[in-house]
Amino acid sequence: PIPSYGAGSHVLLFPFMSKGHTVPLIHLAQILLRRSISVTVVTTPANHSFMAESLNGTVASIVTLPFPTATNIPAGVESTDKLPSMGLPLFYEFSTATSAMQPHFEQLLETLVPRVSFMVTDGFLWWTLHSAKKFRIPRLVYFGMSCYSTSLCMEARSSKILSGPQPDHELVELTRFPWIRLCKEDFDFEYRNPDPNTPGFVFNMKIIESTRESYGILVNSFYELEPTFVDYVSKECSPKSWCVGPLCLAEWTRKVYEGGDEKEKPRWVTWLDQRLEEKSSVLYAAFGSQAEISREQLEEIAKGLEESKVSFLWVIRKEEWGLPDGYEERVKDRGIVIREWVDQREILMHESVEGFLSHCGWNSVMESVTAGVPIVGWPIMAEQFLNARMVEEEVKVGVRVETCDGSVR
């Protein structure tokens, strides 16, 4: 069973340095605090302000540990969304560099009072298991994936779909889940072509091995959403998993801007309120903080939104993503482009938003499902291709963008 800890317990949370990995653990912190459990959150200097703002008004303790230097990581870059690119070599260098934080982490564990009852650390921080064992603290692993994706990854490998002779785009029925058909292109190249000599293989094996030796796994999902796959993971995976989601609903209340002061409102909230007054439905478009989108793709998205004649709010988080000349002026009557960080939950919960053009990152899927907003899925990387299948084929809360040649990617 999961350890039973109540008031007076002390939980340490250590998210990976990426917004998509950090936000769910901030939500978990709020849930634990509501149960009178002491919470310490570990972060780095450059990520401290985001953490402090997110936990403002709570009694959570935030501790910063120095982020290591690495050959190709620019000074001051301590989050993957700030990397010059999301190319795999740079990502693996960044992720592997975090292991140099271990001595500082262990110094922290020695000094924390009261003693840590258990820790929840991101799966990418595999090395925290060694510290947990050293101090005899149970480690629970946080993975930001659905049970559906985990189940399909396991079944695709065990059924030899990934190594079969069929073309990459050819759909193959899963023996364990015969209503599901997958192709090789549903999986990243590295996953379907493992090479023990690559940094990615070494990194992933460290994650797998440390997870197996941990106390358990926390999954940001809920049984009613994917019962077949929660049961599969519970039966087939070790260590035991617990669904603790949807974490995005933790402590969520609609923000009230004092006295209706328009100066306090972000401009995107004001814009959405105006659309609501006009009884205009809005399509929200966002592709996360990690996505690598080519110039050609960006222009096609811009063209599609412009020609769709629908009202849209498009969040662009990469500074280098430039739009066609005059674009924002041409669409200003029904479209707005936002380049700063936004509260995605607040957008999806807004009454005017009735569709979400999304990369199908798992956080985005969960936020859209809980807000009751249908998804137009355009997966880009990692397990997003499986999430898109889940959205369209399994839970039927959206459709998937079709590529011009019918391929998955």
Side-chain angles (χ1 to χ4, degrees):
I2 193 168
S4 179
Y5 296 105
S9 301
H10 183 192
V11 178
L12 179 142
L13 305 179
F14 196 168
F16 181 67
M17 302 81 185
S18 166
K19 293 291 194 303
H21 290 242
T22 298
V23 170
L25 288 189
I26 289 172
H27 296 157
L28 178 60
Q30 293 166 337
I31 292 171
L32 295 170
L33 291 165
R34 200 165 63 220
R35 287 159 174 76
S36 300
I37 294 172
S38 298
V39 174
T40 296
V41 183
V42 181
T43 188
T44 67
N47 293 306
H48 183 272
S49 60
F50 178 79
M51 196 72 73
E53 184 179 344
S54 300
L55 290 170
N56 184 38
T58 74
V59 295
S61 298
I62 303 172
V63 179
T64 58
L65 301 180
F67 191 83
T69 57
T71 304
N72 296 304
I73 308 299
V77 171
E78 298 176 8
S79 181
T80 57
D81 49 294
K82 300 293 186 184
L83 288 171
S85 82
M86 268 301 288
L88 290 177
L90 202 58
F91 170 77
Y92 290 132
E93 182 176 359
F94 178 95
S95 304
T96 303
T98 65
S99 63
M101 300 172 70
Q102 187 172 341
H104 299 285
F105 182 54
E106 293 182 358
Q107 287 173 12
L108 172 66
L109 293 177
E110 278 185 317
T111 58
L112 282 177
V113 178
R115 174 180 162 81
V116 174
S117 307
F118 67 90
M119 67 173 71
V120 181
T121 67
D122 194 281
F124 285 0
L125 304 176
W126 80 91
W127 49 269
T128 57
L129 172 69
H130 307 307
S131 305
K133 283 186 170 182
K134 181 177 179 179
F135 290 89
R136 300 190 176 187
I137 299 171
R139 181 215 183 198
L140 291 161
V141 184
Y142 174 74
F143 272 121
M145 285 177 62
S146 65
C147 290
Y148 175 92
S149 295
T150 300
S151 303
L152 267 53
C153 285
M154 292 177 63
E155 279 300 301
R157 187 164 294 290
S158 64
S159 62
K160 310 294 188 210
I161 286 177
L162 301 180
S163 57
Q166 77 277 12
D168 289 356
H169 63 273
E170 185 176 307
L171 293 169
V172 179
E173 182 182 289
L174 284 179
T175 305
R176 188 73 171 265
F177 309 114
W179 65 93
I180 297 175
R181 299 168 74 221
L182 301 175
C183 66
K184 292 178 183 178
E185 287 185 340
D186 282 310
F187 302 88
D188 275 353
F189 180 83
E190 283 207 342
Y191 185 78
R192 62 182 194 257
N193 297 282
D195 180 354
N197 298 314
T198 61
F201 184 90
V202 174
F203 177 69
N204 289 325
M205 288 308 299
K206 286 178 178 177
I207 293 172
I208 292 168
E209 290 165 4
S210 68
T211 299
R212 283 175 181 160
E213 295 179 35
S214 296
Y215 189 91
I217 301 171
L218 298 186
V219 182
N220 184 15
S221 187
F222 55 102
Y223 187 80
E224 293 79 4
L225 181 67
E226 45 175 349
T228 299
F229 307 100
V230 173
D231 288 341
Y232 175 90
V233 168
S234 296
K235 183 178 179 181
E236 302 293 337
C237 294
S238 180
K240 182 172 172 55
S241 297
W242 288 274
C243 286
V244 294
L247 292 172
C248 59
L249 291 185
E251 295 294 314
W252 192 85
T253 54
R254 191 176 305 282
K255 291 181 182 176
V256 177
Y257 298 95
E258 294 299 327
D261 187 353
E262 291 299 313
K263 292 180 181 177
E264 294 293 321
K265 284 187 182 182
R267 66 188 185 100
W268 44 268
V269 175
T270 301
W271 187 86
L272 287 173
D273 289 346
Q274 290 170 350
R275 300 288 85 71
L276 186 62
E277 290 176 8
E278 298 167 1
K279 295 183 170 52
S280 175
S281 300
V282 174
L283 174 68
Y284 169 51
F287 303 100
S289 56
Q290 309 287 103
E292 291 286 329
I293 297 178
S294 69
R295 178 73 193 176
E296 183 183 14
Q297 289 171 321
L298 194 73
E299 290 178 353
E300 287 296 318
I301 295 167
K303 184 178 179 182
L305 290 172
E306 184 174 2
E307 294 184 358
S308 69
K309 305 301 180 186
V310 302
S311 295
F312 66 88
L313 188 159
W314 185 9
V315 174
I316 297 179
R317 295 208 177 110
K318 298 279 189 179
E319 293 177 5
E320 64 272 20
W321 288 358
L323 293 173
D325 290 342
Y327 182 78
E328 291 179 67
E329 178 66 22
R330 293 199 305 274
V331 301
K332 66 180 181 181
D333 292 336
R334 58 178 179 81
I336 184 172
V337 178
I338 304 294
R339 289 181 171 82
E340 66 259 27
W341 183 262
V342 298
D343 184 339
Q344 182 161 281
R345 287 187 300 175
E346 188 170 6
I347 291 175
L348 288 168
M349 290 288 191
H350 198 281
E351 293 93 330
S352 67
V353 175
E354 296 190 11
F356 183 14
L357 174 58
S358 171
H359 64 311
C360 287
W362 185 239
N363 290 343
S364 292
V365 171
M366 288 294 286
E367 289 169 355
S368 206
V369 166
T370 53
V373 175
I375 298 168
V376 179
W378 183 44
I380 297 171
M381 58 186 286
E383 90 287 3
Q384 294 164 10
F385 300 88
L386 298 177
N387 292 343
R389 284 203 182 277
M390 180 184 185
V391 161
E392 182 175 51
E393 300 171 6
E394 194 68 31
V395 293
K396 297 178 171 59
V397 293
V399 295
R400 182 174 174 149
V401 172
E402 292 187 6
T403 55
C404 55
D405 62 357
S407 63
V408 170
R409 292 181 185 264

